[in-house]
Amino acid sequence: MKHLEGKRIALVGSAGMLAFAFKKLLPESVDLLELDLPAFDLTDSEQVSRELGAFSPDVVVNCAAFTNVDGCESEEELATKVNGLGVGLLAEASRKLGAVFVHVSTDYVFSGDKTEPYCEEDTTGPRSAYGRSKLCGEQALIKSGLASYFIVRTSWLYGPGGNNFVETIRRLASEREQLKIVADQVGTPTFTPDLAGAILNLLATDAYGIYHFSNAGKCSWCDFANEIVRLLRVSGEQLLVKEILPIKTEEYPLPATRPAYSVFSKDKYVSVTGAKVPDWKEALSRYLG
């Protein structure tokens, strides 16, 4: 992480799960400005330019988002403001200050119709308000005229410091004998420290642009749940669950449409950074260990 020593980094959404992992990896010599609600509103253009202008960062990392996927369906205007307009304001401020801007995006910008891993150049086609709002943010960033940016799309995030699927399964498996988990949505879980590390690896380059990063391999939500329960049992955790039943998406209706397939190709990231992408099962065992 020598490339970041002594640098000034503004971290937006600093109270969130990804930011938690990111802060742990930063060198001590970094001058870090943490920005988050309620004190900081990324949709307030005056506040964005004032706070960032006063700090004059070398790098701005945006981990903030309206991430309640189903909530976005009923509050699309607010989601678009936070995930779209706010990103444009941060990008604009970064351009004026000569800062590198890192923005975290999502698999939801795609339709989920593919059956092979999504590349960065694939056509977007979001099926949900959340996906549309996040795509709006990507477009606002690109339109800002800022050249030095990284858009890092990721999927199925979990890690310390936030609510996530792993902790939900841990809780449900200790309360119920039977779990019904969706088995026809396929993607890849991503461990937040691995994503944070990938962002730092990209910051060591000046190969700006859009990147895909998740852990390696693929699984369904049901596969993911089975592996979580298996590892918890191996570690000696007492669980009530006896069976995990695979179900179809339509048997568990939710307001927002989920991508049926959202596996990412990490070839571009690997070719630029030379870094290895950890397998999702290995990452999960690190988290639970």
Side-chain angles (χ1 to χ4, degrees):
M1 306 301 158
K2 278 193 163 46
H3 58 287
L4 291 177
E5 283 178 9
K7 291 274 166 105
R8 302 164 76 79
I9 299 180
L11 182 59
V12 184
S14 61
M17 185 170 66
L18 177 56
F20 182 85
F22 189 76
K23 287 184 279 193
K24 287 224 179 280
L25 293 180
L26 289 176
E28 277 181 22
S29 64
V30 161
D31 188 359
L32 184 67
L33 174 67
E34 297 191 39
L35 299 166
D36 211 328
L37 290 168
F40 180 78
D41 177 2
L42 83 166
T43 68
D44 179 338
S45 62
E46 283 184 15
Q47 191 180 20
V48 167
S49 47
R50 184 176 69 247
E51 298 265 0
L52 291 181
F55 182 64
S56 195
D58 300 297
V59 181
V60 176
V61 178
N62 180 34
C63 295
F66 185 151
T67 56
N68 178 341
V69 173
D70 293 313
C72 287
E73 291 298 314
S74 53
E75 295 190 84
E76 185 160 5
E77 201 176 322
L78 176 61
T80 305
K81 202 175 166 190
V82 175
N83 296 341
L85 170 82
V87 178
L89 295 176
L90 292 171
E92 185 65 28
S94 299
R95 185 178 63 77
K96 287 179 179 160
L97 295 163
V100 175
F101 182 47
V102 180
H103 174 60
V104 181
S105 193
T106 173
D107 54 321
Y108 279 74
V109 299
F110 294 111
S111 67
D113 290 341
K114 274 188 88 174
T115 52
E116 58 184 22
Y118 276 96
C119 301
E120 288 79 359
E121 299 75 32
D122 281 329
T123 308
T124 53
R127 294 270 174 89
S128 65
Y130 173 65
R132 288 189 291 275
S133 72
K134 291 293 285 183
L135 182 59
C136 190
E138 292 188 10
Q139 291 166 338
L141 193 175
I142 292 162
K143 262 188 224 149
S144 73
L146 173 70
S148 53
Y149 69 83
F150 294 99
I151 292 171
V152 185
R153 295 180 182 139
T154 191
S155 63
W156 299 22
L157 273 192
Y158 70 93
N163 293 327
N164 62 68
F165 183 77
V166 183
E167 295 308 321
T168 301
I169 294 298
R170 189 199 288 257
R171 177 176 55 78
L172 293 175
S174 66
E175 294 169 354
R176 301 180 190 175
E177 292 195 349
Q178 186 190 75
L179 303 182
K180 293 179 177 178
I181 310 287
V182 170
D184 59 357
Q185 291 170 26
V186 175
T188 313
T190 308
F191 187 32
T192 48
D194 292 345
L195 175 58
I199 289 170
L200 294 177
N201 289 338
L202 286 168
L203 281 168
T205 76
D206 52 8
Y208 303 120
I210 300 177
Y211 288 85
H212 288 174
F213 186 88
S214 60
N215 281 117
K218 64 179 182 179
C219 63
S220 69
W221 289 107
C222 189
D223 297 330
F224 192 14
N226 272 302
E227 185 65 7
I228 293 162
V229 167
R230 187 187 75 78
L231 287 170
L232 288 172
R233 286 223 159 96
V234 166
S235 70
E237 207 154 316
Q238 296 303 303
L239 302 174
L240 198 61
V241 72
K242 288 192 170 74
E243 63 175 346
I244 299 177
L245 292 181
I247 59 167
K248 292 195 157 119
T249 298
E250 56 262 33
E251 292 175 69
Y252 190 69
L254 291 165
T257 304
R258 267 72 177 164
Y261 182 91
S262 60
V263 180
F264 281 148
S265 164
K266 272 74 73 172
D267 291 351
K268 182 181 176 186
Y269 166 78
V270 171
S271 72
V272 162
T273 63
K276 187 177 176 292
V277 179
D279 184 80
W280 75 268
K281 287 186 179 178
E282 183 274 315
L284 179 62
S285 81
R286 256 187 292 134
Y287 174 61
L288 292 173

